[in-house]
Amino acid sequence: MKTEDKRLVAFERLLNIMDDLRAGCPWDKKQTFESLRILTIEEVYELSDAVLKADDKEISKELGDLMLHLVFYAKIGSERGTFEMTDVLNGICEKLIHRHPHIFSNTIVADENEVKANWEIIKLSEKGGNKSVLAGVPQSLPALVKAYRMQEKAGGVGFDWEKSSQVFEKVEEEIQELKEAINSGKTENIEAEFGDLLFSLVNYARFIDVNPEDALERTNLKFISRFAYIEQKAKLENKSIEQLTLKEMDFYWNESKNNL
């Protein structure tokens, strides 16, 4: 007798619970694709926070919340008669098989770069070759993430630098152009050159295997922690942070580096 797969049992349980919620819960019955959209975005960011904290227990919890949303969308789709969970799962299965011919067919690849290149080429062929390589990057992505994904996709079809040293030279070139724009005093030029510099830094991050979004967020968290340390020190002196001198704040900032 075949042992029941616990994963399938748990997934079926969630599907059944969603059926009950849509049938009986006033809040769940009211939800639409549109009303869920912002809530889903929030759940993705909560999962992202858990990943950055390397909190496995929280990651598991947030994955559950996100899974609920995926089941929710599929349930609404089935009620509309447009698609259901079976379509969603079979669709992603077929896509994965088609885009991994080195696993499910006889294509041979040397490394992950060839895998990425094949992925982009296959993706374009699925759309009849009429869609831009960059068309798959959502317009609503944060600019930093969007820049990274566009560069990845362009690099996937061969539009890329050969060496990281070339990219760093480009960063240095953009720094010089920004300095010149600042000296010119033309606001529009300064903004344009600053954008070019950020774009080049994102590209360099890709070449040294750093995700710029993750790197910046970790720096944000570090700043929050160190600034909170300064605030705590001010409280111990019965002062508000505004009452500290810049020299005092700088002293506590440097102290926080050793204490946190």
Side-chain angles (χ1 to χ4, degrees), residues 132-147:
S132 168
V133 170
L134 304 181
V137 181
Q139 290 299 305
S140 57
L141 275 180
L144 192 67
V145 179
K146 188 190 296 185

Side-chain angles (χ1 to χ4, degrees), residues 102-142:
H102 55 288
I103 300 296
F104 301 104
S105 187
N106 55 8
T107 298
I108 298 173
V109 294
D111 52 33
E112 64 172 302
N113 291 325
E114 284 193 21
V115 172
K116 289 180 181 178
N118 284 346
W119 178 281
E120 294 301 336
I121 292 169
I122 294 169
K123 188 174 181 179
L124 281 177
S125 71
E126 291 171 350
K127 303 177 185 302
N130 297 320
K131 202 164 185 179
S132 168
V133 170
L134 304 181
V137 181
Q139 290 299 305
S140 57
L141 275 180

Side-chain angles (χ1 to χ4, degrees), residues 168-183:
F168 195 75
E169 286 173 6
K170 183 63 177 175
V171 170
E172 293 177 318
E173 177 187 319
E174 295 297 348
I175 289 173
Q176 184 57 40
E177 290 181 5
L178 175 59
K179 289 178 179 178
E180 292 170 3
I182 292 170
N183 290 333

Side-chain angles (χ1 to χ4, degrees), residues 205-250:
R206 187 169 58 89
F207 268 79
I208 59 173
D209 294 322
V210 170
N211 185 298
E213 176 71 18
D214 290 346
L216 182 57
E217 182 57 16
R218 292 187 194 282
T219 296
N220 288 340
L221 295 174
K222 183 167 57 179
F223 182 88
I224 291 168
S225 179
R226 291 178 179 174
F227 195 79
Y229 184 88
I230 297 173
E231 291 176 315
Q232 289 168 4
K233 286 296 183 178
K235 282 184 180 180
L236 289 175
E237 295 181 16
N238 294 316
K239 294 180 180 179
S240 67
I241 192 167
E242 294 88 349
Q243 292 173 309
L244 294 179
T245 66
L246 181 57
K247 185 176 180 180
E248 288 173 319
M249 285 191 280
D250 193 48

